[in-house]
């Protein structure tokens, strides 16, 4: 096979004719049940979940009331991407989402890569939501007096890592009761878990339960899934509106001062968490083939979902930061927390129940999207034929749905929430980047059938250079210190907790003796808490730097520098280099501004994720390429047609 065969493309005409053929014989066709209202509800079901009930707390603690600008920025970035999705969905109204769109715009190898990335987005996203649902569910049971053992409500990695960190901190003098609640739970789960040889059996069983129930519902049919989703959306929207209506009477505007306590850096610190709150609107596009009028309703459903959810997020953020000080909101259940703090326990109970419903509705939409991606890839010959099997009665991709259940359920028992959240984010952002790029690639190509919706055209030829200049002025004018630190790879001092958890027992004693010489008040007859002692100096940047410099431990424990520091900046350097290339492309090709801004915003948010997520994602893509060259390339329908 020639190299050019890697980029063989499907035409829009061929895709649409295949759909008509499937509908005519009825064997591989999906049931058409969805309207614009249903699609909007699916979008709200996917978006209003972990964002409002969990991650909004951490983002508000970092950015203060100004976090509303982060929600606005993320919503705009997602809206740019939604324009691109809507244009493709109107052009190619079939299941497959970004995978099918990439097949048309870039060719088979890129389509496979994006399809493989979407498997990560939906599967890992489902794992994330299942773990979050488990946390809320077990918390609700605990509030009702039912306490499950820690080892059946926590994943293996969290328990293992938490046990190691807790042990290190206790070696440093911290009492168990002074550990963070999460570390206490992890330590308890690890030490009380049943043993199979030397293996600690720690598994998140409630996460397994909800995945089984949701998979069974999706297997039964789109109509049943739609009805369940609509009911859950109504429930959680009522609760969110109730929170706003009740909370507004307890808002103290003094809590909004300062509005941006940690500046732009503090606001942007929560970009990954806030973006995760918007993940899911693209799942709407996977249902294109089950829409009554996809070319009209898909764009409307996406846009209305983003608009409604953004308004709700901003209103909730203002109410939360007005009810209590922003620095108290770094909790896992911020909505329940603020009402409990104001002694409105009846509201806390309602919120706890609605959070369980909200998580379930998000899981339903994510779990529904994955089988339809696999079905599309199977139809093209890139996956085994059975993945495209449609149930004769329920009209759903039955085999792919069952496999999705297994792929999500097993890892959910053992994987860490933070890891899967970031992996889900990078897979989703990568899909957004390629969809936006696809619209740019096709914008000037003739003979491409256009749908009813087209992204408004604004020439970026002159706007992009101006935006680039504004960015440079801001970086070197108003944010010069951070910019120069980034460019020069200036050595960074590690946090106190990171230093203490890296010490062994012998170094622990040396560090304590040194801290006593720095300040005799650190001497205590009780067991010293080194992490707490060291942390007190962080309030004064110069003093902390001085104390750390004198610690009798290796510099590698105290500082991060050289390659170990630079590696974390690689994603941002990639973004900056690509940004320059995109500006040149925009000038030469008169690119459309909206999809170009969508591409840039999503690539920037990818750059904000850690280098480890990029490495894990790259490994995932390499595994996918092995499968492509081993099976998919020779079994592709385009290859068979050519032969």
């Amino acid at each position: 096979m020639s190299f050019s065969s890697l980029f063989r493309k499907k035409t829009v005409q061929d895709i649409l004719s295949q759909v008509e053929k499937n509908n005519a014989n009825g064997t591989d066709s999906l049931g058409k049940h969805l309207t614009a209202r249903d699609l909007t509800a699916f979008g709200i079901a996917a978006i209003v979940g972990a964002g409002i009930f969990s991650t909004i707390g951490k983002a508000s603690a970092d950015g203060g009331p100004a976090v509303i600008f982060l929600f606005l920025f993320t919503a705009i970035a997602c809206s740019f991407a939604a324009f691109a999705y809507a244009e493709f969905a109107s052009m190619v109204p079939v299941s497959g989402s970004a995978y099918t769109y990439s097949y048309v715009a870039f060719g088979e190898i890129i389509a496979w890569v994006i399809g493989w990335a979407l498997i990560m987005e939906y599967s890992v996203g489902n794992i994330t939501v299942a773990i979050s649902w488990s946390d809320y569910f077990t918390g609700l049971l605990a509030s009702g007096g039912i306490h499950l053992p820690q080892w059946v409500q926590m994943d293996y990695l969290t328990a293992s890592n938490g046990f190691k960190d807790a042990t290190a901190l206790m070696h440093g003098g911290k009492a168990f009761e002074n550990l963070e609640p999460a570390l206490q739970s992890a330590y308890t789960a690890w030490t009380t878990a049943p043993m199979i040889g030397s293996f600690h059996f720690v598994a998140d069983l409630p996460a397994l339960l909800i995945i089984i129930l949701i998979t069974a519902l999706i297997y039964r049919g789109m109509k049943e899934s739609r009805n369940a989703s609509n009911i859950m959306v109504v429930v959680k929207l009522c609760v969110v509106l109730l929170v706003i209506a009740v909370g507004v009477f307890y808002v103290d505007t003094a809590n909004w001062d300062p509005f941006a306590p940690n500046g732009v850096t503090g606001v942007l610190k929560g970009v990954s968490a806030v973006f995760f709150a918007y993940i899911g609107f693209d799942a709407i596009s996977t249902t294109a083939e089950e829409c009554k009028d996809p070319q009209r309703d898909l764009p409307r459903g996406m846009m209305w979902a983003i608009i409604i959810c953004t308004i709700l997020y901003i209103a909730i953020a203002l109410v939360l930061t007005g009810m209590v000080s922003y620095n108290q909101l770094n909790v896992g259940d911020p909505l329940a927390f603020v009402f409990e703090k104001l002694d409105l326990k009846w509201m806390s109970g309602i919120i706890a129940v609605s959070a369980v419903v909200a998580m379930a509705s998000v899981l339903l939409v994510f779990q529904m999207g994955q089988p339809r991606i696999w079905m599309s890839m199977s139809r093209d010959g890139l996956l085994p034929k059975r993945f495209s099997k449609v149930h004769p009665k329920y009209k759903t991709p039955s085999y792919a749905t069952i496999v999705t259940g297994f792929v999500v359920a097993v890892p959910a028992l053992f994987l860490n929430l933070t890891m899967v959240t970031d992996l889900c984010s990078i897979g989703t952002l990568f899909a957004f980047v390629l969809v936006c790029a696809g619209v740019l690639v096709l914008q000037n190509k003739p003979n491409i059938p256009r749908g009813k919706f087209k992204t408004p055209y604004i020439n970026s030829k002159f706007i992009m250079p101006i935006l680039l200049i504004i960015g440079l002025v801001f970086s070197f004018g108003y944010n010069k210190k951070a910019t120069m630190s980034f460019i020069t790879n200036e050595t960074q001092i590690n946090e106190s907790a990171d230093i203490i958890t890296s010490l062994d027992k012998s170094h622990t004693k040396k560090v304590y003796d040194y801290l006593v010489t720095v300040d005799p008040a650190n001497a205590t007859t009780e067991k010293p808490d080194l992490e707490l002692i060291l942390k007190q100096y962080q309030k004064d940047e110069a003093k902390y730097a001085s104390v750390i410099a004198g610690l009798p431990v290796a510099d590698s424990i105290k500082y991060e520098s050289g390659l170990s520091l630079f590696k974390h900046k690689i994603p941002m350097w990639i973004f900056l280099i690509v940004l320059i290339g995109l500006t040149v492309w925009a000038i030469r090709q008169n690119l459309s501004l909206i999809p170009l801004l969508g591409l840039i915003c999503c690539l920037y948010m990818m750059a904000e994720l850690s280098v480890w997520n990029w490495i894990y994602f790259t490994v995932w893509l390499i595994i996918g390429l092995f499968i492509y060259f081993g099976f998919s390339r020779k079994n592709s329908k385009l290859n068979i047609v050519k032969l």
Side-chain angles (χ1 to χ4, degrees), residues 217-251:
L217 175 62
I218 293 170
Y219 184 88
R220 285 277 302 178
M222 175 57 76
K223 189 181 293 185
E224 290 77 7
S225 301
R226 177 199 65 188
N227 294 340
S229 174
N230 289 347
I231 292 170
M232 288 188 279
V233 166
V234 170
V235 169
K236 65 182 177 182
L237 282 184
C238 288
V239 171
V240 169
L241 294 174
L242 178 64
V243 167
I244 296 171
V246 174
V248 73
F249 291 102
Y250 294 88
V251 168

Side-chain angles (χ1 to χ4, degrees), residues 136-197:
Y136 282 111
F137 181 69
T138 52
L140 184 61
L141 290 181
S143 66
I146 303 174
H147 297 277
L148 298 177
Q150 288 290 346
W151 56 270
V152 303
Q153 55 179 295
M154 183 176 294
D155 63 274
Y156 182 89
L157 284 179
T158 296
S160 176
N161 295 335
F163 172 78
K164 292 175 184 175
D165 288 345
T167 302
L169 289 171
M170 286 191 288
H171 283 161
K174 188 178 286 292
F176 177 79
E177 56 271 16
N178 292 333
L179 292 171
E180 293 182 1
L183 286 181
Q184 291 184 22
S185 298
Y187 185 89
T188 302
W190 188 258
T191 53
T192 60
M195 301 282 288
I196 303 174

Side-chain angles (χ1 to χ4, degrees), residues 49 51-57 135-136 139-140 143 239-240 243-244 247 316 319-320 323-324 328-329 331-356:
I52 275 188
F53 290 98
S54 179
T55 57
I56 194 172
D135 291 341
Y136 282 111
L140 184 61
S143 66
V239 171
V240 169
V243 167
I244 296 171
I316 285 286
V319 168
L320 286 181
M323 292 174 71
V324 300
Q328 299 180 40
L329 289 171
V331 293
D333 53 349
L335 268 65
F337 168 78
V338 294
F339 285 102
E340 191 169 333
K341 190 173 180 62
L342 295 172
D343 203 28
L344 296 172
K345 291 185 170 54
W346 63 275
M347 277 293 293
S348 295
I350 292 174
I351 291 167
V353 173
S354 66
V356 171

Side-chain angles (χ1 to χ4, degrees), residues 58-66 258-269 326-327 479:
K58 176 67 166 63
S60 299
D62 290 331
F259 198 72
N262 299 315
V264 175
T265 303
V267 173
L268 290 177
K269 193 174 180 180
Y326 72 92
N327 54 24
N479 200 30

Side-chain angles (χ1 to χ4, degrees), residues 181-510:
L183 286 181
Q184 291 184 22
S185 298
Y187 185 89
T188 302
W190 188 258
T191 53
T192 60
M195 301 282 288
I196 303 174
S198 60
F199 177 78
H200 293 251
F201 184 80
V202 182
D204 197 338
L205 297 184
L208 175 66
L209 172 66
I210 189 61
I211 291 168
I212 292 173
L213 293 176
I214 292 294
T215 302
L217 175 62
I218 293 170
Y219 184 88
R220 285 277 302 178
M222 175 57 76
K223 189 181 293 185
E224 290 77 7
S225 301
R226 177 199 65 188
N227 294 340
S229 174
N230 289 347
I231 292 170
M232 288 188 279
V233 166
V234 170
V235 169
K236 65 182 177 182
L237 282 184
C238 288
V239 171
V240 169
L241 294 174
L242 178 64
V243 167
I244 296 171
V246 174
V248 73
F249 291 102
Y250 294 88
V251 168
D252 181 358
T253 54
N255 288 325
W256 290 341
D257 186 20
F259 198 72
N262 299 315
V264 175
T265 303
V267 173
L268 290 177
K269 193 174 180 180
V271 67
S272 297
V274 170
F275 172 73
F276 184 75
Y278 281 92
I279 286 179
F281 81 84
D282 60 314
I284 301 173
S285 65
T286 67
T287 65
E289 208 170 314
E290 292 150 286
C291 298
K292 293 180 179 178
D293 188 350
Q295 294 186 322
R296 182 195 67 186
D297 293 341
L298 271 169
R300 293 182 181 181
M302 286 184 183
M303 295 304 175
W304 276 116
I306 291 176
I307 291 169
I308 292 170
C309 292
T310 301
I311 293 172
L312 292 176
Y313 278 146
I314 290 175
I316 285 286
L318 287 173
V319 168
L320 286 181
T321 54
M323 292 174 71
V324 300
S325 176
Y326 72 92
N327 54 24
Q328 299 180 40
L329 289 171
N330 190 11
V331 293
D333 53 349
L335 268 65
F337 168 78
V338 294
F339 285 102
E340 191 169 333
K341 190 173 180 62
L342 295 172
D343 203 28
L344 296 172
K345 291 185 170 54
W346 63 275
M347 277 293 293
S348 295
I350 292 174
I351 291 167
V353 173
S354 66
V356 171
V357 174
M359 291 293 103
S361 68
V362 176
L363 184 60
L364 185 148
V365 177
F366 273 48
Q367 198 78 343
M368 181 180 64
Q370 177 65 84
R372 284 152 180 79
I373 301 293
W374 278 345
M375 181 184 72
S376 295
M377 296 175 76
S378 175
R379 283 176 172 176
D380 297 329
L382 303 187
L383 286 177
K385 189 175 181 180
R386 63 177 58 186
F387 279 91
S388 59
K389 179 182 178 183
V390 175
H391 195 283
K393 178 180 178 182
Y394 301 132
K395 297 297 180 182
T396 58
S398 51
Y399 180 81
T401 300
I402 293 172
V403 173
T404 298
F406 278 103
V407 168
V408 176
V410 176
L413 294 170
F414 306 108
L415 287 186
N416 177 276
L417 180 61
T418 302
M419 177 187 293
V420 292
T421 299
D422 287 345
L423 283 174
C424 178
S425 294
I426 197 169
T428 306
L429 286 166
F430 184 68
F432 288 5
V433 164
L434 282 187
V435 171
C436 292
V439 170
L440 295 173
V441 168
L442 295 181
Q443 73 170 31
N444 295 322
K445 288 193 174 182
N447 304 321
I448 297 290
R450 305 291 175 179
K452 297 178 182 178
F453 179 87
K454 196 172 189 307
T455 304
Y457 177 78
I458 302 172
N459 195 333
S460 63
K461 182 174 185 176
F462 301 107
I463 298 176
M464 273 303 298
I466 293 172
L467 292 177
L468 197 59
I469 292 171
I470 292 173
L472 290 172
V473 170
F474 174 80
S475 299
F476 289 97
Y478 297 96
N479 200 30
K480 185 176 180 180
K481 182 179 178 181
T483 302
M484 294 308 298
S485 175
F486 175 83
I487 293 174
T488 60
N489 202 39
E490 183 180 326
T491 298
Q492 303 291 317
I493 303 174
N494 285 327
E495 297 287 325
S496 57
D498 294 330
I499 293 173
I500 299 303
T501 53
S502 300
L503 301 178
D504 57 28
K505 288 184 179 180
S506 63
H507 285 117
T508 298
K509 178 68 168 61
K510 292 179 182 178

